[in-house]
Amino acid sequence: MSSGCPPQSPAVAKSEVAVEGECPLLAATFAYWDNILGPRVRHIWTPRGDQLMFLSDGEVTFLANHTLNGEILRSAECGAVDVKFFVLAEKGVIIVSLIFDGELKGDKNTCALSIVLPQTELAFYLPLHTICVERLKHVIRKGRIWMQKGYNIISVLSLEIVPIMELLASMKSHSVPEDINIKDTVLNDDDIGDSCHEDFLHKAISSHLQTCGCSIVVGSNPEKVNKIVRTLCLFLTPAERKCSRLCKADSSFKYDTGLFVQGLLKDSTGSFVLPFRQVLYSPYPTTHIDVDINTVKQMPPCHEHTYNQRRYMRSELSALWKTDSEEDIPPDTVIHTDESFTPDLNIFQDVMHKDTLVKSFIDEVFMLKPGLSLRSTYLSQFLLLLHRKALTLLKYIEDDTQKGKKPFRSLRNLKTDLDLTVEGDLNVVMAFAEKLRAGLHSFVFGKPFYTSMQERDMLMSF
Amino acid sequence: MIGSPDVVAFTKEDEYGQTNPDPWALPEEFSVPLHPLADSNPWAKTSYAKFTKDFILISEFSEQVGPQPLLTIPDEPKVCGTFDLNYFSLRIMSVDYQASFVGHPPGSGYPRLSFVEDSRVVLGDSKEGAFAYVHHLTLYDLEARGFVRPFCMAYVSADERKIMLQFQELSLRFSQASECLKAGNRRAFAKELQRKLRDLEYTHSVLQREEGLQREAGPQCMYSAHAVDKANELANVEKSIYEHRDLLRQISSYHHRPRRDPNAVTCQKCVTECLSECEQLLDKYAKLANPFSYTNKRGKREEGQGQVDEEGGGEEVDEEEGVKRRPSYTPQLIKARSAKCFDKRLKTLRELCDNPFYEATVDLLKGTERSFRGDLCYLHTRRLDRALRTKQRVTNFLFEEDLGDDDEDEGGTLRPFCAVNHAVDTFTLLNPPPIVLGPEPLELDALELPDPVDPASVTSHTRENELGLVESHLESSPSDQTLETQGSSEETKGSFGSDKSGTGPAERQQNLACMKSEAPDSDLTPDPEPDHNTDLERESSSEEMETTAGEDDGDGTPVSLLELVSELEGSREDECDGVTDGACEMQSDLLVPLDTACCMSQEGFLYEASAPEAVPRLGQSSHLQPCETLVVNQEPQALLHLQDDYAVGVGSPSSESPAAGLELPVGLLGDAVSRTSAEDGFDCTMSASTGSDRTASPLGYGGVVTLRQRKKAGQGALRFVRQYPFAMQALWCLLSGRTLVVLGADEGTVRRLVAALALFVPGPGKCGERVQAWLSCPFTLTDLQRWKLVGLQRVASPVGSSMLYSLSRYSRYISILDADQKTLRCPSYRGQLLSKIADHRTYIRRGSTYFLHLQSTLCHLAAKAFLFTFTHHLHLPVSSTEGPEVVEGRRLCFLREQLGLGDEDSQILLYLSQLITQQYLQPAAGSRAAAASFSFNYTTSVFYKI
């Protein structure tokens, strides 16, 4: 490290977080721009456990201060959270900084919440960047409210910093590899019903694809769970696989928002409690697969999911805003405080729409001899087909609406022209397209949905 | 009437409206929007940026004026629009990215050069809607404060996600550019030091002489103030010499230091040569330990040729030998006080770097800008597409463009190479980053130059040479390079695509003439909006097809088998020369007696055909078995060497070399080579055979068919589908392996139609060998072997009558699309498989969208064919008692029951499967194998017209 580091400020508070396993995160910091003293570090979180590299507090402070450099020019809108990403080869670290404005001691200050990782973890971290950033952004929203009330933001930020350390540590040990050997999946079975029931497999994969490749697999047998996790991951891109996690053999990880596929082990009582809030905060709707009882449930499609998610977020922030005491940080449980919004707890529903694309693929792939690369080739053909169909659908809508300038009114024509008349097929292709162009579901299906929701709310208010 | 007080009572806001703010309501700035902009328009996320497309910005933190933009790539003012580059430069350069000490450290005798690793930052200005990947680097400048000049190269985009998702690719490309720039800068810096040392040496000698003179002139024991000044000045110069010598030593040791950046990209040859160059300089100036030796040299210098020029400038002379001789450097006298900081002019970026390196850097950045151009979702899908296609090489030949030669994808491919044209084997990536979006093969071989250019002698090449080499690396894909081996002339290459500016004047004239001649052609005029009324009319008119008596219609001369056989054998003699004798002998084995019960019994014999595909096998190599061997009936274990990766030669240039097989160079065609307008796109390079010169059958496209050309053809295909209600029949012919002849008088019309229809030809060959865009002479059965789509000129002459004769003669093997009469004669198609790609009522508006739709449909077909081909139990007898009929029945049953296909649709799958099998079993034969069959079955043809 540089010899020119300033001495550590005695005012910097530090929390050590006990993390199981090897945590790639070196530190997390909260810094702010003091109008007299310039950049100041307020708090440092460091993992206690196996670390890849050691940074002294002085070095962490030095780096954290630098994340605020240049931010005196910041002209962002109030409430905006900007992300800065540094790869400092000279220091051998990566820093991810979220810059935002907040009120400290009555003054508006520019603040930075940062996480520091070794540069050697760049390839590991990059696929997880969006997950970390989105989760930190939301905790910053809560932190800003806390700051506005004059309370200590650190306690709020800790609510997410610690789980992110745990997430990164768990991903380090249990992430799904980029290249999955088809032999470790259900697709290597001699026949379709060998590992699991034919209809279950079809339903699981179909729903998994309809929910943009986002699924949780729960069960009591870790091998069985992981086999399904790997099978579902076959249908993801390499980058998405890096955002998926196998289940631990002995005990279960906690559910983590933002991962694509995660395997979770049931406890000794045969149950797994799924946190409602975290599942709702996932960027995409989720498929719930129970390998013990062969059930597949799915959340509503993207536009409904996003709408529910935002309403819940608003409720949560509202509840925080109305809190009277610093000690009363609302727990991450269901919020009932907002009269205008009652979350529907029954978010997992049966898979309504059957498709033909996945059905025929599942039927056909088992006809090819296992143990060779025939099935892998056929799988890649299937995925290529889905990606191409998604791009065609996007282009079709783009042409029809002049890149969104006009509303899309010709869904029926689209279905006919692109051979997507079966609802399940359309859902699968739309899900692929949503990942390419976020907001597509809301654009295509949103208006009638919002109208119906408004009408429902109106009726409920009487 | 309601009075105003009543109205006011009902409009009182605090009771009925929502305007009264709730003190407990969460302010919007602390909340999340319920309906963000992306919901109402997913394309609008980046629309508030003040620039229209991504660009690269190079900025400097100038010690005189602060952060300033230097140049943008592309260098057009309209790219940045009203975006404030000055402000943005300030923003990106104000990040204290290095925080490392530079300059004169305490306790050190001499100034120290700071060797700082590059840093990479992604940041943005959410208000401006601008985000950037910023690559910070430091260059050395003797005149600059601390000898360093901080620069940055930024990729500016309105889409933050695009930058983060492609961070590693951006980082790799900018690291290449940075290393290139820094390598050039170190050379320039070393040269500058060299000059400076010469100046100092010269100044030292002058001062020394003056001091000596003064000492001699004055009294022995007294020193004047002037003499003391001189002595001090002399001491300063000596100190300066030592300092500069130390700097030279430091820059020489640059490469010895351990690199801390695992993502740095260095060319080993550049490193070695720059190092040796610096060490030479160091050695040279280490000899000047006694600076006073210059006095002696000066004595000689005054006599004639300057010694310094001989020594110091010698290298420059060597370097520039063969190009131009720069005036050798004359040492300058250095004044005691240098100019004030703000008086001096700082060197420009170009001056800071050796020119070839600078040019190479700019070229690299231009390439980077090009490769990341476009919307993220298309870039992303393109890479995924490519990654997936690499896993299915066994079927790619059917409908996919060549993986290695896709110039569209070139951008997405990371091609590490030295920017100054060192061979790729010298390239070192300290820690090659995995690609986030998808694996991309590194196409190193294609980039390897036979004669690597030495950077030490880089300046000895002409500038044109330098640029030419760099251009060829950056601009031309391997596909372009292979053009020369395709037998197509340079002018053909030049006329490729309408958007290329390399078209010669003569060609342009020809093109112009063709454009004029094509003006009246209304056959494929653009039809932006579907006219439903017209479509309906067409639909109804298409019902009025005339059913004819198949081959008997217009074919008064029954062709005897002997004639056919003799013709085939005669025409194949030449081919057989190149094949083993056994292969020729196989032909006779393939002859089997025809079932006399058949309606075509008068023809006596035909080649053995396994119903329903009834594919005569021609031109097989010796090991290909008749009929049964058309399926993969070997146990997969026997083919394990192929199964790890289906690299069965599809991708290898040799397997589908256009020079192989039946193809002959275009150059032989002479007068028949013709061109159409530039708007024809790729088909303008197709050429024609003429007269009786049958052996001069040309290449289909004259070069490797690229994705861009195929996309262009998509527009034509959409028009065809919309304008011809019987398009489905024509497409079915192509997809089921029946040769389609497009007949027409106007070359442009025919060529355009052929170009559009070529998209549907399975296994068209890397260069479109299965397609003959324009033929002005009668064709033979051999031609039908090699061509699946033929554009045929209609002429009113004796040649024309013989052409019509050939048409009618082979009408049972071919379908005829008359572009003038707008009619089609072919067997009828009643399947469902093609209904989605040939629906003339489609609402697909654009050719590019239709092309995507087509791609996915054809990909689906290829997948089904793959499944059919490699489902082993279908093709193998379950027991020894099972005969071939049972196996055949099982195959047909699979097509009907499992895949739900009718007879006509099954024919498509059977044909595709047959091609896959040939390709799989005979990868070396490649396209030849595919050429050796054509479909024929006893079905009547139907005459369709609009």
Side-chain angles (χ1 to χ4, degrees):
Chain A
M1 287 299 297
S2 167
S3 56
C5 293
Q8 184 197 353
S9 164
V12 178
K14 187 176 172 185
S15 313
E16 285 200 344
V17 181
V19 181
E20 197 182 329
E22 178 193 309
C23 181
L25 199 79
L26 296 174
T29 61
F30 174 68
Y32 66 98
W33 187 279
D34 188 292
N35 289 334
I36 297 164
L37 298 168
R40 304 289 295 166
V41 179
R42 176 85 172 269
H43 199 91
I44 299 173
W45 293 263
T46 53
R48 193 194 311 139
D50 308 335
Q51 281 210 36
L52 299 168
M53 176 179 166
F54 178 74
L55 284 184
S56 71
D57 291 348
E59 288 163 338
V60 173
T61 309
F62 173 78
L63 293 171
N65 284 338
H66 279 79
T67 61
L68 278 169
N69 276 336
E71 292 307 326
I72 200 155
L73 299 164
R74 191 165 189 264
S75 63
E77 283 172 10
C78 188
V81 182
D82 293 330
V83 184
K84 286 206 289 190
F85 181 71
F86 301 81
V87 180
L88 304 180
E90 199 60 33
K91 311 285 177 199
V93 294
I94 307 164
I95 308 176
V96 185
S97 284
L98 289 94
I99 314 291
F100 58 98
D101 59 342
E103 204 162 294
L104 275 171
K105 299 171 193 166
D107 284 337
K108 274 265 184 219
N109 293 90
T110 302
C111 308
L113 177 64
S114 310
I115 55 174
V116 186
L117 298 101
Q119 193 186 351
T120 48
E121 296 299 324
L122 181 65
F124 164 79
Y125 172 75
L126 275 174
L128 299 164
H129 176 74
T130 313
I131 298 175
C132 293
V133 163
E134 286 308 312
R135 285 171 59 165
L136 291 175
K137 267 186 180 175
H138 188 63
V139 82
I140 284 172
R141 286 187 200 111
K142 291 162 78 172
R144 287 184 70 245
I145 292 175
W146 227 231
M147 288 169 90
Q148 186 70 20
K149 287 175 166 287
Y151 301 156
N152 184 8
I153 186 176
I154 304 303
S155 53
V156 177
L157 295 181
S158 297
L159 290 176
E160 200 61 69
I161 294 288
V162 177
I164 281 189
M165 282 185 183
E166 289 168 350
L167 166 73
L168 293 177
S170 70
M171 291 303 288
K172 198 72 195 159
S173 57
H174 283 78
S175 71
V176 174
E178 189 178 334
D179 292 314
I180 298 170
N181 191 340
I182 202 166
K183 289 179 180 166
D184 300 330
T185 70
V186 175
L187 293 194
N188 196 52
D189 289 355
D190 282 341
D191 209 350
I192 191 167
D194 286 1
S195 286
C196 52
H197 191 262
E198 175 185 347
D199 190 49
F200 167 69
L201 184 63
H202 165 225
K203 210 185 261 186
I205 294 174
S206 175
S207 179
H208 170 66
L209 294 180
Q210 288 180 38
T211 53
C212 305
C214 191
S215 299
I216 45 177
V217 184
V218 295
S220 307
N221 181 347
E223 279 94 45
K224 205 171 171 185
V225 169
N226 284 341
K227 196 168 187 180
I228 295 290
V229 168
R230 288 195 197 93
T231 306
L232 296 180
C233 283
L234 284 176
F235 298 85
L236 301 181
T237 65
E240 288 167 350
R241 285 175 196 165
K242 287 183 184 171
C243 295
S244 302
R245 191 175 63 194
L246 297 165
C247 88
K248 206 159 51 167
D250 44 1
S251 60
S252 184
F253 289 121
K254 279 191 283 186
Y255 172 86
D256 263 301
T257 303
L259 293 181
F260 276 93
V261 183
Q262 48 189 317
L264 300 165
L265 207 61
K266 289 180 182 174
D267 60 19
S268 54
T269 63
S271 65
F272 183 86
V273 180
L274 213 51
F276 176 84
R277 174 185 171 273
Q278 274 87 335
V279 175
L280 199 61
Y281 279 13
S282 170
Y284 300 114
T286 303
T287 292
H288 180 282
I289 299 165
D290 190 324
V291 294
D292 290 347
I293 50 173
N294 286 354
T295 56
V296 180
K297 304 266 182 187
Q298 69 176 193
M299 288 170 77
C302 289
H303 58 290
E304 278 189 58
H305 173 72
T306 315
Y307 181 80
N308 293 338
Q309 184 189 76
R310 292 207 186 108
R311 292 203 65 177
Y312 192 90
M313 277 183 178
R314 288 167 73 93
S315 292
E316 189 186 32
L317 296 172
S318 252
L320 206 61
W321 181 256
K322 289 171 187 169
T323 307
D324 291 330
S325 160
E326 190 171 357
E327 306 304 314
D328 298 341
I329 301 177
D332 292 338
T333 51
V334 185
I335 291 166
H336 296 286
T337 49
D338 191 347
E339 298 79 11
S340 66
F341 173 60
T342 310
D344 181 7
L345 295 178
N346 192 23
I347 47 172
F348 285 107
Q349 295 151 7
D350 288 333
V351 183
M352 300 299 289
H353 303 297
K354 292 283 177 72
D355 72 291
T356 61
L357 288 169
V358 179
K359 176 86 174 85
S360 57
F361 169 74
I362 296 292
D363 288 346
E364 289 159 7
V365 76
F366 285 96
M367 291 175 185
L368 294 165
K369 202 159 184 157
L372 309 168
S373 55
L374 294 173
R375 290 186 182 180
S376 299
T377 306
Y378 197 55
L379 173 70
S380 62
Q381 283 172 332
F382 176 64
L383 292 175
L384 183 62
L385 172 72
L386 293 182
H387 282 293
R388 285 185 172 174
K389 276 188 174 285
L391 195 65
T392 312
L393 177 136
L394 259 182
K395 189 78 173 42
Y396 189 98
I397 298 173
E398 194 177 304
D399 294 346
D400 197 72
T401 62
Q402 294 174 8
K403 288 199 171 180
K405 291 190 185 83
K406 295 195 311 188
F408 183 62
R409 299 189 194 283
S410 46
L411 189 61
R412 190 185 297 174
N413 294 340
L414 177 143
K415 287 179 184 178
T416 316
D417 286 338
L418 304 187
D419 196 13
L420 294 171
T421 43
V422 178
E423 207 65 24
D425 291 345
L426 180 70
N427 290 350
V428 169
V429 176
M430 276 295 289
F432 270 76
E434 175 77 32
K435 286 197 274 187
L436 291 173
R437 180 76 63 193
L440 189 75
H441 271 84
S442 301
F443 179 68
V444 175
F445 306 117
K447 212 149 212 175
F449 171 72
Y450 300 145
T451 312
S452 67
M453 291 301 280
Q454 280 167 355
E455 283 169 359
R456 194 196 67 175
D457 291 348
M458 188 83 83
L459 290 170
M460 283 176 74
S461 66
F462 281 110
Chain B
M1 188 178 171
I2 300 172
S4 59
D6 306 313
V7 175
V8 168
F10 282 106
T11 56
K12 200 173 175 185
E13 286 185 336
D14 54 356
E15 280 182 25
Y16 297 97
Q18 297 294 318
T19 53
N20 192 17
D22 175 8
W24 285 104
L26 178 69
E28 271 308 302
E29 63 178 90
F30 290 100
S31 187
V32 285
L34 194 57
H35 300 291
L37 182 64
D39 280 8
S40 56
N41 182 359
W43 287 268
K45 271 190 291 186
T46 57
S47 63
Y48 51 89
K50 290 175 181 168
F51 48 91
T52 50
K53 61 177 183 179
D54 300 356
F55 61 94
I56 291 173
L57 169 69
I58 300 182
S59 296
E60 181 200 2
F61 201 122
S62 162
E63 63 189 60
Q64 290 178 343
V65 295
Q68 59 172 348
L70 298 179
L71 73 102
T72 60
I73 295 170
D75 194 10
E76 302 158 15
K78 67 177 180 184
V79 170
C80 311
T82 57
F83 185 63
D84 189 346
L85 289 179
N86 281 310
Y87 174 78
F88 198 70
S89 294
L90 179 65
R91 170 111 179 101
I92 58 179
M93 288 303 283
S94 61
V95 177
D96 188 2
Y97 55 94
Q98 285 164 342
S100 292
F101 182 81
V102 289
H104 208 134
S108 165
Y110 301 124
R112 291 281 302 278
L113 285 180
S114 115
F115 298 143
V116 189
E117 296 289 355
D118 295 356
S119 49
R120 303 155 182 89
V121 182
V122 177
L123 49 78
D125 192 329
S126 56
K127 202 172 182 181
E128 293 283 321
F131 300 89
Y133 165 86
V134 191
H135 195 103
H136 292 277
L137 68 148
T138 307
L139 300 183
Y140 300 110
D141 182 358
L142 210 47
E143 303 294 320
R145 194 190 305 162
F147 309 116
V148 287
R149 300 273 298 272
F151 287 90
C152 78
M153 302 181 288
Y155 185 86
V156 187
S157 171
D159 188 353
E160 187 179 16
R161 198 165 159 254
K162 180 176 178 178
I163 291 173
M164 278 316 294
L165 278 179
Q166 303 185 101
F167 180 86
Q168 284 189 299
E169 292 92 323
L170 278 168
S171 168
L172 182 59
R173 285 176 175 271
F174 277 89
S175 293
Q176 281 181 318
S178 167
E179 289 299 327
C180 181
L181 199 63
K182 287 193 294 187
N185 170 250
R186 283 194 301 274
R187 292 164 71 94
F189 186 67
K191 282 180 188 168
E192 197 187 357
L193 274 172
Q194 185 188 4
R195 283 194 290 270
K196 184 82 175 184
L197 278 166
R198 259 185 258 151
D199 290 349
L200 286 168
E201 197 181 353
Y202 174 66
T203 308
H204 183 268
S205 67
V206 171
L207 287 175
Q208 204 176 31
R209 198 175 50 188
E210 284 176 4
E211 193 209 17
L213 288 173
Q214 280 183 358
R215 205 185 304 149
E216 284 168 12
Q220 287 295 320
C221 55
M222 287 180 67
Y223 293 101
S224 66
H226 188 65
V228 171
D229 275 356
K230 280 286 168 207
N232 284 340
E233 212 174 314
L234 192 63
N236 280 339
V237 170
E238 279 178 19
K239 182 170 178 267
S240 193
I241 288 174
Y242 287 117
E243 282 178 357
H244 282 81
R245 207 183 292 157
D246 191 65
L247 284 175
L248 191 57
R249 187 190 54 76
Q250 288 180 47
I251 200 79
S252 307
S253 69
Y254 178 88
H255 303 290
H256 295 307
R257 83 197 202 289
R259 293 300 299 262
R260 278 163 294 197
D261 185 1
N263 302 112
V265 184
T266 51
C267 167
Q268 213 51 48
K269 196 158 186 176
C270 274
V271 166
T272 320
E273 290 180 354
C274 194
L275 181 65
S276 64
E277 199 172 297
C278 286
E279 279 173 349
Q280 275 175 12
L281 280 177
L282 196 63
D283 287 347
K284 185 186 289 178
Y285 286 97
K287 287 173 197 163
L288 293 177
N290 177 14
F292 313 105
S293 60
Y294 194 81
T295 321
N296 301 331
K297 288 176 193 167
R298 185 172 168 74
K300 289 179 192 170
R301 181 192 174 88
E302 282 169 355
E303 288 169 16
Q305 181 77 26
Q307 179 73 18
V308 174
D309 286 353
E310 278 176 17
E311 280 190 12
E315 186 178 301
E316 284 182 16
V317 171
D318 289 344
E319 279 177 5
E320 287 143 33
E321 198 173 5
V323 188
K324 55 182 179 183
R325 295 178 72 87
R326 269 191 226 160
S328 52
Y329 182 70
T330 310
Q332 311 285 318
L333 190 70
I334 297 174
K335 289 177 187 170
R337 286 173 191 170
S338 60
K340 282 180 188 169
C341 177
F342 291 97
D343 292 345
K344 69 184 177 195
R345 187 189 73 87
L346 287 172
K347 291 189 190 68
T348 62
L349 183 58
R350 191 185 275 271
E351 288 165 345
L352 281 172
C353 184
D354 246 18
N355 203 42
F357 287 86
Y358 175 81
E359 297 289 349
T361 306
V362 172
D363 282 341
L364 271 174
L365 292 176
K366 280 179 183 169
T368 303
E369 188 274 325
R370 266 198 307 272
S371 64
F372 288 96
R373 202 178 281 175
D375 194 291
L376 174 66
C377 79
Y378 293 103
L379 284 174
H380 183 74
T381 315
R382 201 165 65 187
R383 291 185 185 179
L384 285 174
D385 194 290
R386 193 181 168 86
L388 289 168
R389 275 189 291 138
T390 53
K391 293 179 185 168
Q392 48 195 45
R393 289 187 184 269
V394 75
T395 53
N396 279 344
F397 78 101
L398 283 176
F399 300 111
E400 307 293 339
E401 66 279 1
D402 194 73
L403 270 172
D405 299 336
D406 180 2
D407 65 348
E408 285 271 313
D409 275 333
E410 194 182 332
T413 313
L414 297 173
R415 296 180 172 191
F417 63 91
C418 174
V420 284
N421 297 331
H422 281 144
V424 284
D425 55 357
T426 66
F427 170 83
T428 312
L429 176 58
L430 295 177
N431 182 15
I435 297 164
V436 180
L437 295 179
E440 293 277 351
L442 300 178
E443 293 154 5
L444 300 179
D445 294 342
L447 290 159
E448 200 153 1
L449 283 182
D451 183 20
V453 180
D454 187 345
S457 61
V458 128
T459 47
S460 72
H461 290 267
T462 60
R463 166 83 176 274
E464 288 74 19
N465 263 343
E466 288 286 349
L467 289 176
L469 274 168
V470 173
E471 278 295 308
S472 70
H473 264 284
L474 292 175
E475 301 273 340
S476 61
S477 63
S479 62
D480 293 332
Q481 288 161 15
T482 56
L483 270 179
E484 287 170 19
T485 63
Q486 306 297 322
S488 62
S489 63
E490 281 300 313
E491 61 180 32
T492 311
K493 193 165 84 174
S495 65
F496 229 80
S498 58
D499 54 345
K500 296 206 175 176
S501 55
T503 318
E507 285 173 306
R508 270 187 234 121
Q509 273 190 345
Q510 279 180 328
N511 288 345
L512 205 63
C514 291
M515 282 167 77
K516 283 175 188 168
S517 70
E518 284 162 21
D521 171 35
S522 61
D523 184 49
L524 284 173
T525 47
D527 183 14
E529 290 291 329
D531 185 345
H532 307 306
N533 296 334
T534 322
D535 285 341
L536 286 173
E537 281 169 25
R538 281 177 189 156
E539 190 184 8
S540 59
S541 65
S542 67
E543 303 295 329
E544 300 164 11
M545 54 189 181
E546 292 173 17
T547 310
T548 61
E551 290 73 32
D552 296 332
D553 178 52
D555 187 3
T557 320
V559 186
S560 73
L561 176 72
L562 290 176
E563 241 183 276
L564 267 172
V565 171
S566 63
E567 186 178 326
L568 280 165
E569 285 180 345
S571 61
R572 294 199 72 259
E573 274 174 8
D574 293 340
E575 295 170 45
C576 289
D577 292 342
V579 190
T580 57
D581 291 337
C584 291
E585 286 164 14
M586 279 299 294
Q587 301 309 308
S588 55
D589 297 335
L590 288 169
L591 287 172
V592 293
L594 191 75
D595 182 5
T596 48
C598 172
C599 61
M600 297 301 290
S601 58
Q602 73 274 17
E603 297 198 40
F605 288 91
L606 264 182
Y607 285 92
E608 181 183 65
S610 64
E613 57 200 5
V615 181
R617 311 292 309 150
L618 299 167
Q620 301 290 320
S621 59
S622 58
H623 63 278
L624 183 66
Q625 303 299 311
C627 187
E628 289 84 5
T629 53
L630 290 178
V631 298
V632 184
N633 62 0
Q634 301 171 38
E635 279 297 333
Q637 283 76 6
L639 298 167
L640 281 178
H641 63 285
L642 294 172
Q643 283 151 356
D644 287 334
D645 180 5
Y646 286 101
V648 286
V650 186
S652 72
S654 60
S655 66
E656 291 198 352
S657 167
L662 303 166
E663 311 309 331
L664 285 169
V666 175
L668 296 173
L669 301 175
D671 57 339
V673 176
S674 57
R675 312 223 176 281
T676 55
S677 67
E679 70 182 18
D680 285 351
F682 66 92
D683 56 349
C684 63
T685 56
M686 295 177 185
S687 42
S689 58
T690 178
S692 59
D693 188 9
R694 177 149 313 287
T695 54
S697 301
L699 298 170
Y701 289 92
V704 177
V705 185
T706 64
L707 181 63
R708 186 177 297 176
Q709 292 158 356
R710 284 159 55 84
K711 275 182 183 169
K712 272 187 179 178
Q715 182 64 41
L718 179 61
R719 278 185 219 143
F720 174 74
V721 165
R722 277 188 174 158
Q723 292 181 8
Y724 290 80
F726 47 76
M728 205 186 309
Q729 327 292 327
L731 304 192
W732 173 70
C733 291
L734 290 169
L735 287 165
S736 58
R738 190 180 173 95
T739 302
L740 180 70
V741 176
V742 181
L743 184 65
D746 180 64
E747 187 178 344
T749 309
V750 172
R751 280 184 179 278
R752 278 197 297 275
L753 259 177
V754 170
L757 290 169
L759 293 176
F760 301 89
V761 177
K766 196 172 172 182
C767 305
E769 296 93 331
R770 302 280 82 76
V771 179
Q772 173 57 274
W774 184 243
L775 187 69
S776 46
C777 63
F779 57 84
T780 66
L781 205 56
T782 322
D783 295 330
L784 298 184
Q785 272 181 260
R786 70 178 108 160
W787 296 325
K788 289 294 167 195
L789 177 62
V790 182
L792 189 64
Q793 185 182 18
R794 171 182 272 131
V795 283
S797 67
V799 180
S801 63
S802 67
M803 278 169 49
L804 287 176
Y805 171 73
S806 67
L807 270 182
S808 58
R809 186 181 188 192
Y810 303 121
S811 60
R812 69 174 64 85
Y813 307 113
I814 58 173
S815 301
I816 302 165
L817 174 67
D818 193 324
D820 302 328
Q821 310 292 327
K822 297 201 169 27
T823 61
L824 173 72
R825 203 169 70 84
C826 69
S828 69
Y829 169 72
R830 292 174 295 274
Q832 293 298 313
L833 215 49
L834 306 181
S835 59
K836 296 299 174 194
I837 53 168
D839 181 3
H840 66 278
R841 292 165 298 183
T842 181
Y843 287 91
I844 294 176
R845 290 160 188 253
R846 300 170 74 101
S848 51
T849 312
Y850 179 74
F851 176 72
L852 288 172
H853 177 48
L854 190 61
Q855 260 195 325
S856 54
T857 309
L858 295 178
C859 162
H860 189 55
L861 280 180
K864 296 287 176 201
F866 174 85
L867 175 77
F868 177 69
T869 310
F870 290 95
T871 304
H872 296 97
H873 72 269
L874 291 178
H875 312 295
L876 298 171
V878 175
S879 64
S880 56
T881 55
E882 223 175 48
E885 310 81 34
V886 182
V887 175
E888 194 56 48
R890 191 158 57 233
R891 297 174 68 200
L892 292 178
C893 181
F894 178 84
L895 291 169
R896 281 202 203 96
E897 306 293 327
Q898 183 64 41
L899 302 182
L901 303 176
D903 285 346
E904 286 93 2
D905 288 338
S906 296
Q907 281 184 44
I908 297 176
L909 266 266
L910 284 165
Y911 177 63
L912 297 182
S913 170
Q914 181 197 338
L915 293 180
I916 293 172
T917 308
Q918 286 172 355
Q919 185 75 20
Y920 188 73
L921 295 177
Q922 299 172 281
S927 52
R928 271 193 69 180
S933 67
F934 61 97
S935 299
F936 165 68
N937 54 14
Y938 299 108
T939 51
T940 51
S941 284
V942 180
F943 189 70
Y944 298 91
K945 67 177 185 181
I946 292 180

